[in-house]
Amino acid sequence: MKKNLLKFVCIVCSFLLLISFSVGCAKDKDAKGGGTEKQSSSSDSTTQTGDDIAPIKASLMAWSVNRDNTEGIKNDRILAYVKDKFKLNLEILSADGQQEKYSTTLAAGDVPDIMFAWTGMESVQKAAEEGMFLNMNDVVSKNPQKYPVLSKMFSDKFLKYYNDIYFTDAENFYGIPAPSQARYVFGSIIFNMKEMQALGQQMPASIDEFINLLRVVKNQSKMTPFTAHNIKGTSWSEFNWLFFQPQGGSLDIAQLNDDEKITTRVTEPVNKDIWKQISQWYKEGLLDREMFTKEAYYHLGEFNGGKLFSCAGMLPYDNPIMHWWFMDFPKQPGYTQSDAKIMPFPFKGPNGETTRNAKQSIQISGYVHVSAKTKDPERVLSFLNWLFSKEGQTTVFYGLDGIHHIKDSNGNPVVIEEEWKKEKGNWNQPDAAYWAPFNIVTFSGHIYDVEKAESWFDALQKSQETIDVYTATSPQDEYLAHGTEITKNFIEHTFIELPPYASFRFSEAEFSIQRKVNDLCNKYFVGFVTGQIDVEANWDKFVKEFNETGCDILERAAQGYYDKNKKLYDTIK
């Protein structure tokens, strides 16, 4: 299945908040610090604050931060740089357990001065509607020269288009978009190759070969044969990619076809036979049972720890993330990084079908919001103007100039690895590919230069190259070449480029229906797999209950949003 494949929207039943036409999010980059005076060269995007102004406290809620290293955080040089330059004494708050944390925080009216939130979260949408976030354009439009990056972004017609989609208000900006774009993300399987060789086996090329391999592992190895990222049955995208789509089935709640009509495929008869297959695999002990029982199940951690022979994952073409995912694997005695390999091609079904992956040209992963009650909006926006500039983004991924990185002859940053790891280690992430508190700017692993580009949209389109921070001062990570080769295979056989208008958010009433659909599917799917619900005897009952959830309302709503957004997009092209 190549480029003439149907355009589609992969909405697996586990996606709770937003119908998205993209299949993944990417993360990660690196940082460190030391005196702040060394990063003195300011671009036009930076705003210098007078030395006679006393710093004020401002809270910033970020995700993937650990605050246990109190001494390191106290001496963090990037925080010191921001305090000196913008007179902001940032208090970094953790958004771990994000959805619940955001909901409880916003319900109490306790909005941090600066916070990142994923697109489509109901609590965030409600907070915007209730005026809890600052309308940044009110401040920026009064003095655009002071905020050149934000001013350019807020005047971009395409950004207004996305603003209209997510906040139903094109002109008022209650958040700064944190985009991800041009990312190839695919579902594949990671294998423990050392165990593979010990068993005298090789990489499978079909579902049948894969299952036979798992049977060998079950009978001859102490390792659990296979798992996927599945927390008590609430994530089915990897099962969809690996086992349903190659066999002509689909768990897509909304699929966009060649005729641009959206259809639901969850209850198609072919899916019944595939669920029966998977239930048999579970009965044989080929699937890790913990993925259906644990509240939090870090499957990559289990794999890196030597418990699992193979695990599925949404794998990004991004060298730093590949490095981060597998950085613990070589810590096992006698193992090297090359002992973990990714299946380099998608499974093909009996009719030559394979998985389908979408690559959306631009998707807004989330927004950075500012509290309407923040003490000094101008100071906060000056900081954000810098953070979204090329200089600020470079700091997120490479640290401070002269402290965490130096410039090569072409002006590109070269990491001083020891210093950068030390700074990232303040947040217990020395091997991450970014400085954790500020990883709210982009989820593409790219630096996009708004100032030099014609527009925000143009800047994103031009930032196609993946940042590779593991160069110059450290050996090139072997997963760069590994990932490149694998990505070529998946691009050739599975990828569809989706248009920029192929994403939207549901209304609160539609969200409620989507939750009902997800809850019903998860109940039945877990039951089907574990044998608690007999597939053959209960399939018609499942179909009947599914049709009664109101999924047809979601289907019509999705079609309406798609048609509306396409029309709006066509008018501004």
Side-chain angles (χ1 to χ4, degrees), residues 160-203:
K160 290 182 178 182
Y161 160 79
Y162 286 108
N163 214 39
D164 186 56
I165 290 176
Y166 293 118
F167 293 99
T168 62
D169 187 339
E171 299 298 330
N172 296 311
F173 285 83
Y174 298 99
I176 307 170
S180 59
Q181 95 292 354
R183 304 299 288 175
Y184 293 105
V185 183
F186 54 89
S188 191
I189 302 172
I190 313 156
F191 290 96
N192 184 318
M193 296 306 295
K194 198 163 190 176
E195 189 73 3
M196 179 94 76
Q197 292 162 6
L199 295 171
Q201 301 297 307
Q202 59 186 7
M203 194 81 75

Short mmCIF file of all heavy atoms in Angstrom, two decimals, residues 160-203:
data_model
loop_
_atom_site.label_atom_id
_atom_site.label_comp_id
_atom_site.label_asym_id
_atom_site.label_seq_id
_atom_site.Cartn_x
_atom_site.Cartn_y
_atom_site.Cartn_z
N LYS A 160 -4.18 32.36 12.64
CA LYS A 160 -5.55 32.78 12.95
C LYS A 160 -6.54 31.68 12.59
O LYS A 160 -7.54 31.46 13.29
CB LYS A 160 -5.90 34.07 12.20
CG LYS A 160 -5.15 35.30 12.71
CD LYS A 160 -5.58 36.54 11.94
CE LYS A 160 -4.87 37.77 12.47
NZ LYS A 160 -5.30 39.01 11.77
N TYR A 161 -6.24 30.97 11.51
CA TYR A 161 -7.09 29.86 11.11
C TYR A 161 -7.12 28.79 12.20
O TYR A 161 -8.19 28.32 12.60
CB TYR A 161 -6.55 29.28 9.80
CG TYR A 161 -7.00 27.87 9.50
CD1 TYR A 161 -8.26 27.60 8.99
CD2 TYR A 161 -6.15 26.80 9.75
CE1 TYR A 161 -8.67 26.32 8.73
CE2 TYR A 161 -6.54 25.50 9.49
CZ TYR A 161 -7.81 25.27 8.98
OH TYR A 161 -8.20 23.98 8.74
N TYR A 162 -5.95 28.41 12.71
CA TYR A 162 -5.91 27.41 13.78
C TYR A 162 -6.56 27.94 15.06
O TYR A 162 -7.20 27.20 15.80
CB TYR A 162 -4.47 26.98 14.06
CG TYR A 162 -3.90 26.08 13.00
CD1 TYR A 162 -2.93 26.53 12.11
CD2 TYR A 162 -4.35 24.77 12.86
CE1 TYR A 162 -2.42 25.70 11.12
CE2 TYR A 162 -3.84 23.93 11.88
CZ TYR A 162 -2.87 24.40 11.01
OH TYR A 162 -2.38 23.59 10.04
N ASN A 163 -6.38 29.23 15.31
CA ASN A 163 -6.99 29.84 16.48
C ASN A 163 -8.51 29.73 16.40
O ASN A 163 -9.20 29.48 17.39
CB ASN A 163 -6.58 31.31 16.56
CG ASN A 163 -6.44 31.79 17.98
OD1 ASN A 163 -5.96 31.05 18.83
ND2 ASN A 163 -6.83 33.01 18.25
N ASP A 164 -9.04 29.92 15.21
CA ASP A 164 -10.48 29.83 15.00
C ASP A 164 -10.96 28.39 15.24
O ASP A 164 -12.04 28.16 15.78
CB ASP A 164 -10.83 30.27 13.58
CG ASP A 164 -12.33 30.34 13.35
OD1 ASP A 164 -13.01 31.05 14.10
OD2 ASP A 164 -12.81 29.67 12.42
N ILE A 165 -10.14 27.41 14.85
CA ILE A 165 -10.51 26.01 15.04
C ILE A 165 -10.55 25.65 16.51
O ILE A 165 -11.52 25.06 17.01
CB ILE A 165 -9.51 25.09 14.31
CG1 ILE A 165 -9.67 25.22 12.79
CG2 ILE A 165 -9.70 23.63 14.74
CD1 ILE A 165 -8.66 24.41 12.00
N TYR A 166 -9.50 26.03 17.24
CA TYR A 166 -9.35 25.53 18.61
C TYR A 166 -10.01 26.43 19.66
O TYR A 166 -10.34 25.98 20.75
CB TYR A 166 -7.88 25.34 18.94
CG TYR A 166 -7.25 24.22 18.14
CD1 TYR A 166 -6.21 24.48 17.26
CD2 TYR A 166 -7.72 22.93 18.25
CE1 TYR A 166 -5.64 23.45 16.51
CE2 TYR A 166 -7.16 21.89 17.51
CZ TYR A 166 -6.11 22.16 16.64
OH TYR A 166 -5.57 21.16 15.90
N PHE A 167 -10.19 27.72 19.34
CA PHE A 167 -10.79 28.62 20.31
C PHE A 167 -11.98 29.39 19.74
O PHE A 167 -12.52 30.27 20.40
CB PHE A 167 -9.74 29.62 20.83
CG PHE A 167 -8.67 28.98 21.65
CD1 PHE A 167 -7.45 28.66 21.09
CD2 PHE A 167 -8.89 28.64 22.98
CE1 PHE A 167 -6.47 28.04 21.84
CE2 PHE A 167 -7.92 28.02 23.74
CZ PHE A 167 -6.70 27.72 23.17
N THR A 168 -12.39 29.04 18.52
CA THR A 168 -13.51 29.69 17.82
C THR A 168 -13.39 31.22 17.86
O THR A 168 -14.38 31.92 17.98
CB THR A 168 -14.87 29.25 18.41
OG1 THR A 168 -14.94 29.66 19.79
CG2 THR A 168 -15.05 27.74 18.31
N ASP A 169 -12.18 31.70 17.78
CA ASP A 169 -11.93 33.15 17.83
C ASP A 169 -10.62 33.41 17.11
O ASP A 169 -9.54 33.15 17.65
CB ASP A 169 -11.85 33.61 19.28
CG ASP A 169 -11.78 35.14 19.40
OD1 ASP A 169 -11.41 35.79 18.41
OD2 ASP A 169 -12.08 35.66 20.48
N ALA A 170 -10.68 33.91 15.89
CA ALA A 170 -9.47 34.06 15.08
C ALA A 170 -8.56 35.18 15.56
O ALA A 170 -7.35 35.10 15.42
CB ALA A 170 -9.85 34.30 13.62
N GLU A 171 -9.12 36.24 16.14
CA GLU A 171 -8.33 37.43 16.41
C GLU A 171 -7.77 37.50 17.83
O GLU A 171 -6.77 38.18 18.05
CB GLU A 171 -9.21 38.67 16.16
CG GLU A 171 -9.71 38.78 14.73
CD GLU A 171 -8.59 38.92 13.71
OE1 GLU A 171 -7.54 39.48 14.06
OE2 GLU A 171 -8.77 38.46 12.57
N ASN A 172 -8.38 36.84 18.77
CA ASN A 172 -7.93 36.91 20.17
C ASN A 172 -7.11 35.69 20.53
O ASN A 172 -7.58 34.56 20.39
CB ASN A 172 -9.13 37.04 21.10
CG ASN A 172 -9.89 38.34 20.87
OD1 ASN A 172 -9.29 39.41 20.81
ND2 ASN A 172 -11.20 38.24 20.70
N PHE A 173 -5.89 35.92 21.02
CA PHE A 173 -4.95 34.83 21.27
C PHE A 173 -4.84 34.57 22.76
O PHE A 173 -4.19 35.31 23.49
CB PHE A 173 -3.59 35.15 20.65
CG PHE A 173 -3.57 35.01 19.16
CD1 PHE A 173 -4.03 36.04 18.35
CD2 PHE A 173 -3.15 33.84 18.57
CE1 PHE A 173 -4.05 35.91 16.97
CE2 PHE A 173 -3.16 33.68 17.19
CZ PHE A 173 -3.60 34.72 16.39
N TYR A 174 -5.46 33.49 23.18
CA TYR A 174 -5.40 33.07 24.59
C TYR A 174 -4.30 32.04 24.81
O TYR A 174 -4.17 31.50 25.90
CB TYR A 174 -6.75 32.51 25.01
CG TYR A 174 -7.85 33.53 24.93
CD1 TYR A 174 -8.70 33.56 23.83
CD2 TYR A 174 -8.01 34.50 25.92
CE1 TYR A 174 -9.70 34.51 23.73
CE2 TYR A 174 -9.00 35.46 25.82
CZ TYR A 174 -9.84 35.46 24.73
OH TYR A 174 -10.83 36.40 24.62
N GLY A 175 -3.51 31.78 23.78
CA GLY A 175 -2.40 30.86 23.90
C GLY A 175 -1.46 31.01 22.71
O GLY A 175 -1.84 31.53 21.65
N ILE A 176 -0.22 30.58 22.91
CA ILE A 176 0.78 30.55 21.84
C ILE A 176 0.91 29.10 21.41
O ILE A 176 1.16 28.22 22.24
CB ILE A 176 2.13 31.09 22.32
CG1 ILE A 176 1.98 32.47 22.95
CG2 ILE A 176 3.14 31.13 21.17
CD1 ILE A 176 3.24 32.95 23.65
N PRO A 177 0.78 28.80 20.13
CA PRO A 177 0.79 27.39 19.71
C PRO A 177 2.16 26.75 19.86
O PRO A 177 3.19 27.35 19.57
CB PRO A 177 0.37 27.46 18.24
CG PRO A 177 0.79 28.82 17.80
CD PRO A 177 0.59 29.71 18.99
N ALA A 178 2.16 25.51 20.32
CA ALA A 178 3.36 24.68 20.35
C ALA A 178 3.17 23.62 19.27
O ALA A 178 2.54 22.59 19.51
CB ALA A 178 3.55 24.05 21.73
N PRO A 179 3.67 23.87 18.07
CA PRO A 179 3.32 23.01 16.95
C PRO A 179 4.19 21.77 16.84
O PRO A 179 5.30 21.69 17.37
CB PRO A 179 3.56 23.93 15.75
CG PRO A 179 4.71 24.79 16.19
CD PRO A 179 4.50 25.00 17.68
N SER A 180 3.67 20.79 16.14
CA SER A 180 4.49 19.69 15.65
C SER A 180 4.14 19.53 14.19
O SER A 180 2.98 19.63 13.81
CB SER A 180 4.22 18.40 16.42
OG SER A 180 2.87 18.03 16.31
N GLN A 181 5.14 19.31 13.37
CA GLN A 181 4.87 19.24 11.94
C GLN A 181 5.92 18.39 11.25
O GLN A 181 7.02 18.17 11.75
CB GLN A 181 4.84 20.64 11.33
CG GLN A 181 6.10 21.17 10.71
CD GLN A 181 7.19 21.45 11.72
OE1 GLN A 181 6.99 21.35 12.91
NE2 GLN A 181 8.37 21.77 11.25
N ALA A 182 5.52 17.90 10.09
CA ALA A 182 6.42 17.14 9.24
C ALA A 182 7.09 16.00 9.98
O ALA A 182 8.25 15.71 9.79
CB ALA A 182 7.49 18.06 8.63
N ARG A 183 6.36 15.34 10.87
CA ARG A 183 6.93 14.25 11.65
C ARG A 183 6.41 12.92 11.13
O ARG A 183 5.22 12.72 10.99
CB ARG A 183 6.56 14.39 13.13
CG ARG A 183 6.95 15.71 13.74
CD ARG A 183 8.42 15.96 13.70
NE ARG A 183 9.11 15.11 14.64
CZ ARG A 183 10.41 15.06 14.73
NH1 ARG A 183 11.16 15.76 13.94
NH2 ARG A 183 10.98 14.29 15.63
N TYR A 184 7.33 12.03 10.89
CA TYR A 184 6.95 10.67 10.55
C TYR A 184 6.92 9.86 11.84
O TYR A 184 7.94 9.70 12.50
CB TYR A 184 7.94 10.06 9.57
CG TYR A 184 7.93 10.70 8.22
CD1 TYR A 184 8.94 11.57 7.83
CD2 TYR A 184 6.89 10.44 7.34
CE1 TYR A 184 8.92 12.16 6.58
CE2 TYR A 184 6.87 11.03 6.08
CZ TYR A 184 7.89 11.88 5.71
OH TYR A 184 7.86 12.46 4.48
N VAL A 185 5.77 9.35 12.21
CA VAL A 185 5.64 8.54 13.40
C VAL A 185 4.96 7.24 12.98
O VAL A 185 3.97 7.26 12.27
CB VAL A 185 4.80 9.24 14.48
CG1 VAL A 185 4.74 8.39 15.75
CG2 VAL A 185 5.40 10.60 14.79
N PHE A 186 5.52 6.13 13.39
CA PHE A 186 4.99 4.86 12.91
C PHE A 186 4.95 3.85 14.04
O PHE A 186 5.64 3.98 15.04
CB PHE A 186 5.85 4.32 11.76
CG PHE A 186 7.32 4.21 12.09
CD1 PHE A 186 7.84 3.05 12.65
CD2 PHE A 186 8.18 5.27 11.84
CE1 PHE A 186 9.18 2.96 12.96
CE2 PHE A 186 9.52 5.18 12.14
CZ PHE A 186 10.03 4.02 12.71
N GLY A 187 4.11 2.85 13.88
CA GLY A 187 4.02 1.79 14.86
C GLY A 187 4.81 0.58 14.40
O GLY A 187 4.57 0.05 13.32
N SER A 188 5.75 0.16 15.21
CA SER A 188 6.55 -1.01 14.88
C SER A 188 6.86 -1.77 16.16
O SER A 188 6.32 -1.46 17.23
CB SER A 188 7.83 -0.61 14.15
OG SER A 188 8.48 -1.76 13.61
N ILE A 189 7.73 -2.77 16.07
CA ILE A 189 8.05 -3.62 17.21
C ILE A 189 9.56 -3.59 17.46
O ILE A 189 10.35 -3.65 16.52
CB ILE A 189 7.60 -5.07 16.96
CG1 ILE A 189 6.09 -5.10 16.69
CG2 ILE A 189 7.94 -5.97 18.14
CD1 ILE A 189 5.58 -6.46 16.26
N ILE A 190 9.92 -3.46 18.72
CA ILE A 190 11.31 -3.47 19.13
C ILE A 190 11.64 -4.86 19.68
O ILE A 190 10.88 -5.40 20.49
CB ILE A 190 11.58 -2.42 20.22
CG1 ILE A 190 10.95 -1.08 19.82
CG2 ILE A 190 13.06 -2.26 20.49
CD1 ILE A 190 10.65 -0.18 21.00
N PHE A 191 12.75 -5.41 19.25
CA PHE A 191 13.13 -6.77 19.65
C PHE A 191 14.43 -6.77 20.46
O PHE A 191 15.34 -5.98 20.20
CB PHE A 191 13.32 -7.67 18.42
CG PHE A 191 12.05 -8.00 17.70
CD1 PHE A 191 11.65 -7.25 16.60
CD2 PHE A 191 11.25 -9.05 18.11
CE1 PHE A 191 10.48 -7.55 15.92
CE2 PHE A 191 10.08 -9.36 17.44
CZ PHE A 191 9.69 -8.61 16.34
N ASN A 192 14.51 -7.70 21.38
CA ASN A 192 15.76 -8.00 22.08
C ASN A 192 16.54 -8.96 21.18
O ASN A 192 16.29 -10.17 21.15
CB ASN A 192 15.47 -8.64 23.43
CG ASN A 192 16.73 -8.89 24.24
OD1 ASN A 192 17.75 -9.33 23.72
ND2 ASN A 192 16.66 -8.62 25.54
N MET A 193 17.50 -8.41 20.43
CA MET A 193 18.20 -9.21 19.43
C MET A 193 19.16 -10.23 20.05
O MET A 193 19.45 -11.26 19.44
CB MET A 193 18.96 -8.28 18.48
CG MET A 193 18.07 -7.37 17.66
SD MET A 193 16.77 -8.26 16.73
CE MET A 193 17.78 -9.22 15.59
N LYS A 194 19.65 -9.97 21.22
CA LYS A 194 20.53 -10.93 21.89
C LYS A 194 19.76 -12.22 22.20
O LYS A 194 20.25 -13.32 21.97
CB LYS A 194 21.10 -10.32 23.17
CG LYS A 194 22.32 -11.04 23.68
CD LYS A 194 23.07 -10.17 24.68
CE LYS A 194 24.42 -10.81 25.00
NZ LYS A 194 25.22 -9.95 25.88
N GLU A 195 18.52 -12.04 22.69
CA GLU A 195 17.68 -13.21 22.95
C GLU A 195 17.24 -13.85 21.65
O GLU A 195 17.14 -15.08 21.55
CB GLU A 195 16.47 -12.78 23.78
CG GLU A 195 15.63 -13.93 24.31
CD GLU A 195 16.30 -14.68 25.45
OE1 GLU A 195 17.40 -14.28 25.88
OE2 GLU A 195 15.73 -15.69 25.91
N MET A 196 16.98 -13.03 20.63
CA MET A 196 16.60 -13.54 19.32
C MET A 196 17.68 -14.49 18.79
O MET A 196 17.40 -15.60 18.33
CB MET A 196 16.40 -12.38 18.35
CG MET A 196 16.02 -12.81 16.93
SD MET A 196 14.25 -12.83 16.63
CE MET A 196 13.91 -11.08 16.45
N GLN A 197 18.94 -14.05 18.86
CA GLN A 197 20.05 -14.87 18.37
C GLN A 197 20.24 -16.12 19.22
O GLN A 197 20.54 -17.21 18.70
CB GLN A 197 21.32 -14.03 18.33
CG GLN A 197 21.27 -12.92 17.28
CD GLN A 197 22.30 -11.83 17.52
OE1 GLN A 197 23.14 -11.93 18.40
NE2 GLN A 197 22.21 -10.77 16.72
N ALA A 198 20.06 -15.98 20.53
CA ALA A 198 20.21 -17.14 21.41
C ALA A 198 19.19 -18.22 21.10
O ALA A 198 19.46 -19.42 21.27
CB ALA A 198 20.08 -16.70 22.87
N LEU A 199 18.02 -17.80 20.61
CA LEU A 199 16.97 -18.75 20.26
C LEU A 199 17.08 -19.22 18.82
O LEU A 199 16.27 -20.04 18.37
CB LEU A 199 15.60 -18.10 20.47
CG LEU A 199 15.23 -17.74 21.92
CD1 LEU A 199 13.95 -16.91 21.97
CD2 LEU A 199 15.07 -19.00 22.77
N GLY A 200 18.07 -18.69 18.09
CA GLY A 200 18.26 -19.08 16.70
C GLY A 200 17.16 -18.60 15.78
O GLY A 200 16.85 -19.24 14.77
N GLN A 201 16.57 -17.44 16.11
CA GLN A 201 15.46 -16.90 15.33
C GLN A 201 15.89 -15.65 14.56
O GLN A 201 16.99 -15.13 14.75
CB GLN A 201 14.29 -16.58 16.26
CG GLN A 201 13.77 -17.77 17.04
CD GLN A 201 13.20 -18.84 16.15
OE1 GLN A 201 12.33 -18.58 15.31
NE2 GLN A 201 13.67 -20.08 16.32
N GLN A 202 15.00 -15.17 13.70
CA GLN A 202 15.28 -13.96 12.93
C GLN A 202 14.05 -13.06 12.90
O GLN A 202 12.95 -13.48 13.25
CB GLN A 202 15.72 -14.30 11.51
CG GLN A 202 14.70 -15.10 10.72
CD GLN A 202 15.24 -15.53 9.38
OE1 GLN A 202 16.43 -15.35 9.08
NE2 GLN A 202 14.39 -16.08 8.53
N MET A 203 14.25 -11.83 12.44
CA MET A 203 13.20 -10.84 12.40
C MET A 203 12.03 -11.34 11.55
O MET A 203 12.23 -11.77 10.41
CB MET A 203 13.74 -9.53 11.81
CG MET A 203 12.86 -8.33 12.00
SD MET A 203 13.02 -7.59 13.64
CE MET A 203 14.59 -6.73 13.53
#
